Amino acid sequence: MTIFSKNIVKEYSVTWVVIFAGLLMIVFVTQLVRYFGYAANGSVPFGSVFLLFTLGSIKNLPILFSLSIVLSVTLSLSRWYRDSEMVVWASSGKALSAWVMPTLGFVTPIALLVTVLTLFLAPWAEQRLEIEKQTLEVNDDISTVSPGIFIESKDGSTVFFVDSLESSVQGLKGVFIFNRDANRISITSANRGRQEESAQGASYLVVEDGYRYTEFKQSLEFDATKFATYGVRMDKNPVSKPYVHLGGRSTISLIEEGSPQSFSELVWRIGLPLSAILLALISIPISFVNNRGGRSYSVAVGVLFFLFYKNVLGIVQAQVYQSSWSLWMGLTLPHLIILVIFILLLLLRVGAFKRGLPARKFI
């Protein structure tokens, strides 16, 4: 690799690391705030927050990689234009097309990482995320209880109330449980409580030092019991076979199925690493800055191209899903369009369209 190429790749890499770290931090903060909000209102147990946060972050990584590539290339080249470094390279005999190979050298390792993410890690993360969400929807988990708030179970038969939490999230103080079924109504109050899991994997709420009052509907009898320890099973509706949509299925299973729906998901997964490469290339001609023309809008144009590309992939994916387009058409047409746009913009920047024009005559 020449000094010219090394300089370009180094500049790209440093800028990419900074931009990607910033975008990743924004996503992390957004995801954490959202999931902690779910945990605060009782929708998600506190113990599952970091698992859901991690899975959601892995699912979003391919998009972050692509966006950070566009921003790093446009910002680097725009700075070179403003600092007149591009003029120096041009005077040394380097045309704008000379940036193509170093840019490919920079983006290829990232595109390979995006390939691994989209084909293997992201589907696994989305599958786990769907399973966790469906498990939380059908299971009554006391870890979702917030102090001072009445929480109703999913089937509406039980109401929980906790006065406060101990130092451990699973340690509860001042537990109140109201339960109604077809034969009886019961009220349980206890000083302390905790969540436990049996050897078979069943979830229990264990309360200590309390009273249980039961009224039987048929006989109208009333029973009061004082207990030292009492356990209530929480996982009443275990998920036997959770449903996983196309985004959470493995790439191998999509290929084996061979349906238009599975092909549409393959169009998206294979298209993401290809789009990362083409977005890096198209950022070369759109990064042009005219120092006499004032401020550059190359970053905004790059983001618009990024959004345009992703929307095109979404439209093509929908066409393949509806059997309007074949798999190969979905895998080639959108990327050929962007490739043609890149070639035209590059030729425009190097002045290829002006060479055949007759010279102007001034009187």
Side-chain angles (χ1 to χ4, degrees):
M1 185 180 291
T2 63
I3 297 177
F4 171 73
S5 299
K6 288 182 179 179
N7 187 33
I8 294 176
V9 173
K10 181 181 178 180
E11 181 75 18
Y12 284 163
S13 302
V14 172
T15 308
W16 179 82
V17 169
V18 174
I19 293 175
F20 179 73
L23 293 176
L24 195 63
M25 185 62 64
I26 294 173
V27 172
F28 279 0
V29 172
T30 305
Q31 294 271 359
L32 274 178
V33 170
R34 184 176 67 174
Y35 283 119
F36 275 125
Y38 291 157
N41 61 26
S43 302
V44 174
F46 280 100
S48 302
V49 167
F50 285 99
L51 175 60
L52 297 176
F53 159 74
T54 303
L55 295 174
S57 300
I58 293 175
K59 188 180 72 171
N60 294 324
L61 280 179
I63 300 297
L64 292 181
F65 276 117
S66 299
L67 181 57
S68 60
I69 287 172
V70 175
L71 294 177
S72 61
V73 175
T74 53
L75 285 174
S76 298
L77 293 181
S78 298
R79 187 189 66 79
W80 287 349
Y81 274 112
R82 288 193 300 269
D83 296 346
S84 300
E85 291 187 33
M86 297 295 284
V87 177
V88 175
W89 287 117
S91 62
S92 302
K94 295 292 184 181
L96 190 61
S97 57
W99 270 259
V100 173
M101 294 308 297
T103 302
L104 286 176
F106 156 73
V107 76
T108 299
I110 304 177
L112 292 176
L113 184 56
V114 173
T115 303
V116 175
L117 285 170
T118 55
L119 296 183
F120 304 104
L121 293 181
W124 169 81
E126 188 158 353
Q127 181 183 25
R128 285 292 312 275
L129 193 61
E130 287 295 321
I131 293 175
E132 290 294 328
K133 288 181 178 179
Q134 293 176 35
T135 302
L136 292 175
E137 287 178 359
V138 299
N139 286 348
D140 297 328
D141 195 333
I142 194 62
S143 59
T144 63
V145 173
S146 298
I149 300 176
F150 287 92
I151 301 296
E152 187 177 5
S153 63
K154 302 299 186 299
D155 58 3
S157 63
T158 308
V159 176
F160 303 99
F161 179 84
V162 175
D163 184 60
S164 62
L165 299 178
E166 294 182 351
S167 57
S168 172
V169 176
Q170 293 182 343
L172 310 172
K173 289 184 179 181
V175 182
F176 170 88
I177 305 173
F178 172 84
N179 180 263
R180 177 194 291 114
D181 55 30
N183 299 320
R184 60 188 178 182
I185 298 175
S186 63
I187 298 176
T188 304
S189 63
N191 292 331
R192 295 176 302 278
R194 65 184 183 278
Q195 187 179 4
E196 291 185 358
E197 188 171 326
S198 65
Q200 292 75 25
S203 178
Y204 287 89
L205 171 62
V206 180
V207 292
E208 300 176 348
D209 189 17
Y211 293 86
R212 177 178 174 86
Y213 306 95
T214 306
E215 179 183 356
F216 298 92
K217 296 181 180 180
Q218 304 254 345
S219 60
L220 299 179
E221 294 181 355
F222 186 84
D223 179 67
T225 305
K226 182 179 180 181
F227 58 84
T229 304
Y230 179 75
V232 181
R233 182 161 180 169
M234 307 304 298
D235 53 345
K236 299 177 183 178
N237 301 303
V239 180
S240 56
K241 189 177 181 181
Y243 170 77
V244 178
H245 57 77
L246 288 173
R249 295 176 54 183
S250 66
T251 302
I252 296 177
S253 66
L254 294 176
I255 297 174
E256 292 176 349
E257 181 178 330
S259 65
Q261 292 74 27
S262 61
F263 285 159
S264 68
E265 181 63 25
L266 289 175
V267 167
W268 177 260
R269 295 185 186 181
I270 298 176
L272 283 178
L274 291 176
S275 67
I277 296 176
L278 290 174
L279 284 171
L281 292 178
I282 207 169
S283 298
I284 298 174
I286 67 176
S287 300
F288 172 76
V289 176
N290 186 355
N291 290 333
R292 297 180 180 179
R295 184 175 300 177
S296 170
Y297 298 96
S298 57
V299 175
V301 175
V303 173
L304 289 176
F305 262 108
F306 169 80
L307 297 176
F308 169 74
Y309 206 158
K310 294 299 176 287
N311 287 331
V312 169
L313 284 179
I315 293 172
V316 172
Q317 185 183 17
Q319 294 297 320
V320 176
Y321 187 92
Q322 297 171 2
S323 302
S324 301
W325 289 7
S326 65
L327 172 62
W328 297 111
M329 190 174 182
L331 289 175
T332 56
L333 184 59
H335 309 293
L336 285 177
I337 293 174
I338 301 299
L339 182 60
V340 170
I341 294 175
F342 159 68
I343 294 174
L344 292 176
L345 289 176
L346 188 63
L347 292 175
L348 179 64
R349 289 304 181 195
V350 298
F353 297 119
K354 296 181 180 179
R355 295 172 184 172
L357 297 177
R360 293 183 179 181
K361 294 183 179 180
F362 298 94
I363 300 177

